[in-house]
């Protein structure tokens, strides 16, 4: 991702893959992972040697050693319909990120520093600082990525809600964390469909269903008899044909109707919120923002905010169930009840743009390397992979 940032800053046309990429390099087969970057000589200015020199310069600056030169765009696996050709539809053209970060009071200077350091030192992305005190006078059209660090930013965003909404709809990528993410949720400014648990206590059913459906989708077993055969007819009341076949419920989600938690009970559970633990995150391996991630990763969690998402937003990282939740640190049972199956990272389309919400800091104090990669993906890949850029940008 650091290479992508530097290559885009050098005005190279860079593509990112959404599947594994098989290649033959020096006569040997090599399979590169989802998120592999591609630069085509014919789509960049200058002769191939000049383009290659620019690629290698960006690679050196990024400390990237895995650079492969290939002479054909055809996949070596001609018998597989899944293997992508380098000129096929599994590669998305990235857009050069033009990044702004909100700063100054009421932004938290501590967490702002974590984000600033990762972008400046680890990734190498240039960015502008937007003074929160004059945010209403800022022309956001100069940027296609806006980062909202934690802090009391709702007071800044509320009078500028329509302006922010129009910017995202026009193709902007809005990235928020912790309290700034909470400010965008359905129970607050309402720019995102994601909600806080405390704002959905009257009916948690849609979020329970969404979490269970995602979990079931990870281990799909197809019953061919049900697909190709005839369904087993239901028995009428009182009918007994000797078969031990139990009739299916007409409504498979009936048990979720009005799943309600009293506010007083949730307020009690919030008293046991973690101060800083590593929990198990289940990764959506088909989301562009999780490029470079495996099927699970440790995520940093602190505070009492618990985010819930249904099918309206893509949950790129969802916390595991309470039986597998804790990886390190102290987690009270009361905290497990609230945190299990909640959303840690969501990506939601909003017009031509998108809103990315992190429940906790992904680059906390510079030691959360795995989730910091997700933050870098959001900034560098987001404008092209998740949003549609207008031609004026």
């Amino acid at each position: 991702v650091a290479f992508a940032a530097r290559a885009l800053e050098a005005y190279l046309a860079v593509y990112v893959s959404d599947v594994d990429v098989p290649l033959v390099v020096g006569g040997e087969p090599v399979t590169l992972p989802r998120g592999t970057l591609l630069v085509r000589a014919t789509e960049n200015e200058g002769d191939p040697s000049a383009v290659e020199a620019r690629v290698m310069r960006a690679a050196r600056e990024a400390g990237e050693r895995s650079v492969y030169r290939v002479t054909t765009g055809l996949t070596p696996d001609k018998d597989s319909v899944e293997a992508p050709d380098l000129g096929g539809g599994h590669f998305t053209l990235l857009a050069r990120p033009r990044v702004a970060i909100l700063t100054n009071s009421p932004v938290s200077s501590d967490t702002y520093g974590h984000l600033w350091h990762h972008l400046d030192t680890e990734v190498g992305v240039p960015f502008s600082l937007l003074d929160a005190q004059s945010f209403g006078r800022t022309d956001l059209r100069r940027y296609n990525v806006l980062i909202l660090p934690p802090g009391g930013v709702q007071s800044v965003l509320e009078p500028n809600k329509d302006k922010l909404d129009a910017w995202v709809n026009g193709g902007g990528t809005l990235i928020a964390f912790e309290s700034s993410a909470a400010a965008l949720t359905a129970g607050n400014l309402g720019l995102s469909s994601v909600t806080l648990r405390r704002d959905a206590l009257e009916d948690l059913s849609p979020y329970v269903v969404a979490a269970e459906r995602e979990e079931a989708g990870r281990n799909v077993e197809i019953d061919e008899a049900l697909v190709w055969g005839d369904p087993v007819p239901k028995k009428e009341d009182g009918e007994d044909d000797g078969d031990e076949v139990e009739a299916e419920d007409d409504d498979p989600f009936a048990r979720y109707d009005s799943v309600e938690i009293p506010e007083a009970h949730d307020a009690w559970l919030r008293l046991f919120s973690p101060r800083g633990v590593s929990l198990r995150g289940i990764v959506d391996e088909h989301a562009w923002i999780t490029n470079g991630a495996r099927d699970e990763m440790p995520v940093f969690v602190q505070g009492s905010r618990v985010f819930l998402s249904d099918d309206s937003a893509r949950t790129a990282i969802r916390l595991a169930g309470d039986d597998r939740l804790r990886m390190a640190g102290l987690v009270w049972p009361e905290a497990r009840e609230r945190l299990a199956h909640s959303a840690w990272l969501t990506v939601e389309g909003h017009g031509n743009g998108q809103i990315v919400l992190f429940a906790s800091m992904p680059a906390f104090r510079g030691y959360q390397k795995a989730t910091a990669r997700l933050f870098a993906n959001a900034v560098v890949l987001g404008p092209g992979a998740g949003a549609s850029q207008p031609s004026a940008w």
Side-chain angles (χ1 to χ4, degrees):
V1 70
F3 167 79
R6 287 164 172 81
L8 290 168
E9 198 61 26
Y11 294 95
L12 286 165
V14 183
Y15 290 78
V16 62
S17 72
D18 59 15
V19 293
D20 291 351
V21 181
L23 297 174
V24 173
V25 180
E28 296 295 325
V30 176
T31 298
L32 305 181
R34 175 179 67 100
T36 289
L37 300 166
L38 169 68
V39 179
R40 302 184 183 119
T42 56
E43 294 185 13
N44 288 276
E45 280 189 38
D47 60 70
S49 61
V51 173
E52 181 174 337
R54 292 163 64 196
V55 168
M56 298 310 296
R57 185 183 308 115
R60 285 194 303 273
E61 292 173 354
E64 179 58 65
R65 294 183 296 274
S66 300
V67 182
Y68 299 88
R69 182 193 295 105
V70 294
T71 57
T72 177
L74 297 177
T75 176
D77 189 358
K78 296 181 173 55
D79 296 327
S80 172
V81 296
E82 299 294 334
D85 290 325
L86 299 188
H90 285 289
F91 289 87
T92 301
L93 179 64
L94 298 179
R96 186 172 70 92
R98 297 192 310 285
V99 186
I101 304 181
L102 196 66
T103 185
N104 201 0
S105 178
V107 171
S108 164
S109 58
D110 181 50
T111 50
Y112 158 78
H114 302 164
L115 301 174
W116 172 90
H117 177 269
H118 188 71
L119 289 184
D120 185 68
T121 304
E122 301 293 331
V123 185
V125 178
F127 51 86
S128 299
L129 306 181
L130 301 187
D131 191 333
Q133 301 299 312
S134 57
F135 181 71
R137 300 191 297 274
T138 301
D139 185 356
L140 293 179
R141 292 175 298 177
R142 299 174 59 187
Y143 312 104
N144 56 14
V145 177
L146 176 59
I147 299 171
L148 304 177
V153 300
Q154 184 161 346
S155 61
V156 174
L157 302 180
E158 197 156 13
N160 296 287
K161 174 185 173 181
D162 292 342
K163 170 183 177 177
L164 197 58
D165 182 63
W167 176 80
V168 177
N169 266 291
T173 294
L174 182 62
I175 308 171
F177 314 84
E178 293 186 353
S179 57
S180 65
L184 302 177
T185 58
N188 293 285
L189 295 181
L191 293 181
S192 170
S193 67
V194 176
T195 186
L196 295 179
R197 188 177 193 269
R198 66 180 65 179
D199 294 329
L201 296 177
E202 292 185 359
D203 187 11
L204 297 171
S205 311
Y207 310 103
V208 175
V209 172
E212 292 200 353
R213 184 183 294 123
E214 282 180 23
E215 186 173 357
R218 296 179 185 278
N219 298 289
V220 177
E221 295 183 5
I222 299 175
D223 187 334
E224 294 191 12
L226 291 178
V227 175
W228 301 106
D230 295 324
V232 179
K234 294 181 181 179
K235 292 183 290 187
E236 299 294 335
D237 291 342
E239 181 182 353
D240 184 7
D241 58 5
D243 294 331
E244 297 295 328
V245 178
E246 185 177 342
E248 296 181 1
D249 195 326
D250 288 336
D251 182 2
F253 300 116
R255 65 192 178 97
Y256 298 122
D257 287 348
S258 300
V259 178
E260 185 175 347
I261 301 292
E263 166 61 31
H265 178 62
D266 193 68
W268 167 254
L269 297 180
R270 290 200 294 269
L271 296 177
F272 300 89
S273 298
R275 298 296 298 170
V277 297
S278 290
L279 302 183
R280 189 182 310 275
I282 308 301
V283 176
D284 179 352
E285 296 180 89
H286 300 288
W288 60 265
I289 199 170
T290 61
N291 282 345
R294 298 182 180 178
D295 57 348
E296 294 182 356
M297 67 163 58
V299 299
F300 177 76
V301 174
Q302 68 174 351
S304 64
R305 297 181 190 86
V306 173
F307 291 76
L308 302 177
S309 63
D310 56 16
D311 295 333
S312 301
R314 183 161 202 163
T315 305
I317 304 285
R318 188 181 291 280
L319 296 186
D322 57 4
D323 58 331
R324 302 180 61 239
L325 185 62
R326 176 189 173 278
M327 297 189 78
L330 180 120
V331 186
W332 295 105
E334 292 83 354
R336 290 175 185 261
E337 179 180 334
R338 298 184 69 241
L339 289 165
H341 301 297
S342 64
W344 191 86
L345 170 59
T346 61
V347 180
E348 183 175 7
H350 195 77
N352 289 322
Q354 61 190 333
I355 297 175
V356 179
L357 302 183
F358 288 87
S360 296
M361 285 293 293
F364 183 74
R365 293 181 179 171
Y367 74 84
Q368 294 287 342
K369 298 295 187 182
T371 50
R373 168 65 188 266
L374 304 177
F375 168 52
N377 284 348
V379 174
V380 178
L381 307 184
S388 177
Q389 301 294 297
S391 57
W393 284 4

